[in-house]
Amino acid sequence: MSPEMLALLLKSFWETCYMVLASTILATLIGVPLGVILTVTRKNHILPNAPVNSVLGAIVNATRSTPFIILMVAIIPLTRLLVGSSIGTTASIVPLTISAAPFIARIIESSLLEIDHGVIEAAQAMGASPMQIIRKVLLPEALHSIVLGITLAVIALIGYSAMAGTLGGGGLGDLAIRYGYQRFQMDVMLITVVVLIVMVQSIQSLGDYFSKKLNKNKL
């Protein structure tokens, strides 16, 4: 591989890291509150509210069921409004965030529902408010499971970021399409795939490590 191509590979790698990191942070900031609301507004939970749960659940399901490539095209006006462009690495963060946030919300909901209801009832018996139960019981008890779930979300975002490259989003996906596919440089395609595999394996290993550590600390 030529020095120029190596420099381009490194640039694409950092673009992918930037897209994935930024969208993970933003999607987590949106998805965690959504997941908590979806959980606590369920029937027989601490803040039951059927209308809120139904409407929010429908929105989350609708967004999750939309293929990323279609979502990316559909929200081009919103992307332009927020970042001033629909093409480029920064522009790709908008659809990546919107795609990942509902996924994270369902992960949070699933993790919180695994908590023994007796723990919640004990906290209520001691006079804890709903917000105290969320902050001091639900989230800490489910933290190790949440870490694993967000790890899955990050891995999914790596795949989505590669798809974003097909629409001018930059990153490793763009490199693979422009050079590996369109110019038939199979060495570029192969190296791009290897880099993506290493990224996924590294993130999964880190997620497993921190989840196990948090679970042991809880025990």
Side-chain angles (χ1 to χ4, degrees), residues 41-43 47-56:
T41 56
R42 291 171 69 97
K43 185 179 179 181
L47 290 170
N49 191 318
V52 170
N53 190 275
S54 297
V55 171
L56 198 57

PDB file of all heavy atoms in Angstrom, residues 41-43 47-56:
ATOM      1  N   THR A  41     -43.256   3.981  33.026  1.00  0.00           N
ATOM      2  CA  THR A  41     -44.656   4.275  32.685  1.00  0.00           C
ATOM      3  C   THR A  41     -45.441   3.010  32.326  1.00  0.00           C
ATOM      4  O   THR A  41     -46.622   3.095  31.986  1.00  0.00           O
ATOM      5  CB  THR A  41     -44.741   5.268  31.509  1.00  0.00           C
ATOM      6  OG1 THR A  41     -44.018   4.750  30.384  1.00  0.00           O
ATOM      7  CG2 THR A  41     -44.174   6.624  31.898  1.00  0.00           C
ATOM      8  N   ARG A  42     -44.800   1.860  32.396  1.00  0.00           N
ATOM      9  CA  ARG A  42     -45.512   0.605  32.144  1.00  0.00           C
ATOM     10  C   ARG A  42     -46.517   0.330  33.261  1.00  0.00           C
ATOM     11  O   ARG A  42     -46.394   0.837  34.379  1.00  0.00           O
ATOM     12  CB  ARG A  42     -44.516  -0.569  32.057  1.00  0.00           C
ATOM     13  CG  ARG A  42     -43.637  -0.537  30.828  1.00  0.00           C
ATOM     14  CD  ARG A  42     -42.546  -1.583  30.932  1.00  0.00           C
ATOM     15  NE  ARG A  42     -43.090  -2.925  30.842  1.00  0.00           N
ATOM     16  CZ  ARG A  42     -43.116  -3.646  29.723  1.00  0.00           C
ATOM     17  NH1 ARG A  42     -42.638  -3.149  28.605  1.00  0.00           N
ATOM     18  NH2 ARG A  42     -43.618  -4.861  29.725  1.00  0.00           N
ATOM     19  N   LYS A  43     -47.490  -0.498  32.932  1.00  0.00           N
ATOM     20  CA  LYS A  43     -48.497  -0.872  33.927  1.00  0.00           C
ATOM     21  C   LYS A  43     -47.824  -1.549  35.115  1.00  0.00           C
ATOM     22  O   LYS A  43     -46.919  -2.367  34.954  1.00  0.00           O
ATOM     23  CB  LYS A  43     -49.510  -1.812  33.285  1.00  0.00           C
ATOM     24  CG  LYS A  43     -50.667  -2.180  34.198  1.00  0.00           C
ATOM     25  CD  LYS A  43     -51.656  -3.105  33.482  1.00  0.00           C
ATOM     26  CE  LYS A  43     -52.800  -3.505  34.399  1.00  0.00           C
ATOM     27  NZ  LYS A  43     -53.757  -4.424  33.730  1.00  0.00           N
ATOM     28  N   LEU A  47     -44.413   4.667  37.874  1.00  0.00           N
ATOM     29  CA  LEU A  47     -45.152   5.820  37.350  1.00  0.00           C
ATOM     30  C   LEU A  47     -46.012   5.388  36.158  1.00  0.00           C
ATOM     31  O   LEU A  47     -45.800   5.831  35.025  1.00  0.00           O
ATOM     32  CB  LEU A  47     -44.185   6.932  36.912  1.00  0.00           C
ATOM     33  CG  LEU A  47     -43.424   7.679  38.004  1.00  0.00           C
ATOM     34  CD1 LEU A  47     -42.347   8.553  37.389  1.00  0.00           C
ATOM     35  CD2 LEU A  47     -44.378   8.523  38.848  1.00  0.00           C
ATOM     36  N   PRO A  48     -46.988   4.516  36.359  1.00  0.00           N
ATOM     37  CA  PRO A  48     -47.770   3.992  35.239  1.00  0.00           C
ATOM     38  C   PRO A  48     -48.514   5.098  34.488  1.00  0.00           C
ATOM     39  O   PRO A  48     -49.171   5.941  35.099  1.00  0.00           O
ATOM     40  CB  PRO A  48     -48.749   3.023  35.917  1.00  0.00           C
ATOM     41  CG  PRO A  48     -48.808   3.465  37.348  1.00  0.00           C
ATOM     42  CD  PRO A  48     -47.465   4.018  37.667  1.00  0.00           C
ATOM     43  N   ASN A  49     -48.365   5.079  33.182  1.00  0.00           N
ATOM     44  CA  ASN A  49     -49.037   6.071  32.341  1.00  0.00           C
ATOM     45  C   ASN A  49     -49.194   5.463  30.949  1.00  0.00           C
ATOM     46  O   ASN A  49     -48.297   5.555  30.104  1.00  0.00           O
ATOM     47  CB  ASN A  49     -48.225   7.368  32.278  1.00  0.00           C
ATOM     48  CG  ASN A  49     -48.998   8.508  31.635  1.00  0.00           C
ATOM     49  OD1 ASN A  49     -49.680   8.328  30.636  1.00  0.00           O
ATOM     50  ND2 ASN A  49     -48.881   9.697  32.213  1.00  0.00           N
ATOM     51  N   ALA A  50     -50.322   4.834  30.704  1.00  0.00           N
ATOM     52  CA  ALA A  50     -50.545   4.094  29.464  1.00  0.00           C
ATOM     53  C   ALA A  50     -50.445   4.962  28.205  1.00  0.00           C
ATOM     54  O   ALA A  50     -49.810   4.549  27.223  1.00  0.00           O
ATOM     55  CB  ALA A  50     -51.896   3.388  29.515  1.00  0.00           C
ATOM     56  N   PRO A  51     -51.041   6.172  28.174  1.00  0.00           N
ATOM     57  CA  PRO A  51     -50.937   6.996  26.952  1.00  0.00           C
ATOM     58  C   PRO A  51     -49.489   7.353  26.607  1.00  0.00           C
ATOM     59  O   PRO A  51     -49.080   7.246  25.445  1.00  0.00           O
ATOM     60  CB  PRO A  51     -51.754   8.251  27.297  1.00  0.00           C
ATOM     61  CG  PRO A  51     -52.721   7.791  28.342  1.00  0.00           C
ATOM     62  CD  PRO A  51     -51.968   6.779  29.156  1.00  0.00           C
ATOM     63  N   VAL A  52     -48.732   7.800  27.591  1.00  0.00           N
ATOM     64  CA  VAL A  52     -47.326   8.163  27.354  1.00  0.00           C
ATOM     65  C   VAL A  52     -46.539   6.955  26.877  1.00  0.00           C
ATOM     66  O   VAL A  52     -45.768   7.018  25.904  1.00  0.00           O
ATOM     67  CB  VAL A  52     -46.686   8.747  28.631  1.00  0.00           C
ATOM     68  CG1 VAL A  52     -45.160   8.885  28.456  1.00  0.00           C
ATOM     69  CG2 VAL A  52     -47.297  10.097  28.965  1.00  0.00           C
ATOM     70  N   ASN A  53     -46.734   5.825  27.523  1.00  0.00           N
ATOM     71  CA  ASN A  53     -46.013   4.607  27.166  1.00  0.00           C
ATOM     72  C   ASN A  53     -46.348   4.156  25.748  1.00  0.00           C
ATOM     73  O   ASN A  53     -45.459   3.763  24.986  1.00  0.00           O
ATOM     74  CB  ASN A  53     -46.340   3.503  28.170  1.00  0.00           C
ATOM     75  CG  ASN A  53     -45.457   2.288  28.008  1.00  0.00           C
ATOM     76  OD1 ASN A  53     -45.732   1.409  27.204  1.00  0.00           O
ATOM     77  ND2 ASN A  53     -44.378   2.239  28.776  1.00  0.00           N
ATOM     78  N   SER A  54     -47.626   4.222  25.396  1.00  0.00           N
ATOM     79  CA  SER A  54     -48.063   3.778  24.067  1.00  0.00           C
ATOM     80  C   SER A  54     -47.521   4.672  22.965  1.00  0.00           C
ATOM     81  O   SER A  54     -47.005   4.188  21.950  1.00  0.00           O
ATOM     82  CB  SER A  54     -49.586   3.740  23.996  1.00  0.00           C
ATOM     83  OG  SER A  54     -50.112   2.807  24.910  1.00  0.00           O
ATOM     84  N   VAL A  55     -47.635   5.988  23.145  1.00  0.00           N
ATOM     85  CA  VAL A  55     -47.189   6.937  22.120  1.00  0.00           C
ATOM     86  C   VAL A  55     -45.676   6.857  21.954  1.00  0.00           C
ATOM     87  O   VAL A  55     -45.156   6.770  20.827  1.00  0.00           O
ATOM     88  CB  VAL A  55     -47.616   8.373  22.473  1.00  0.00           C
ATOM     89  CG1 VAL A  55     -46.965   9.377  21.524  1.00  0.00           C
ATOM     90  CG2 VAL A  55     -49.134   8.508  22.433  1.00  0.00           C
ATOM     91  N   LEU A  56     -44.957   6.873  23.078  1.00  0.00           N
ATOM     92  CA  LEU A  56     -43.496   6.821  23.028  1.00  0.00           C
ATOM     93  C   LEU A  56     -43.015   5.495  22.437  1.00  0.00           C
ATOM     94  O   LEU A  56     -42.089   5.462  21.616  1.00  0.00           O
ATOM     95  CB  LEU A  56     -42.919   7.003  24.437  1.00  0.00           C
ATOM     96  CG  LEU A  56     -41.446   7.389  24.535  1.00  0.00           C
ATOM     97  CD1 LEU A  56     -41.178   8.671  23.768  1.00  0.00           C
ATOM     98  CD2 LEU A  56     -41.054   7.559  26.000  1.00  0.00           C
TER      99      LEU A  56
END
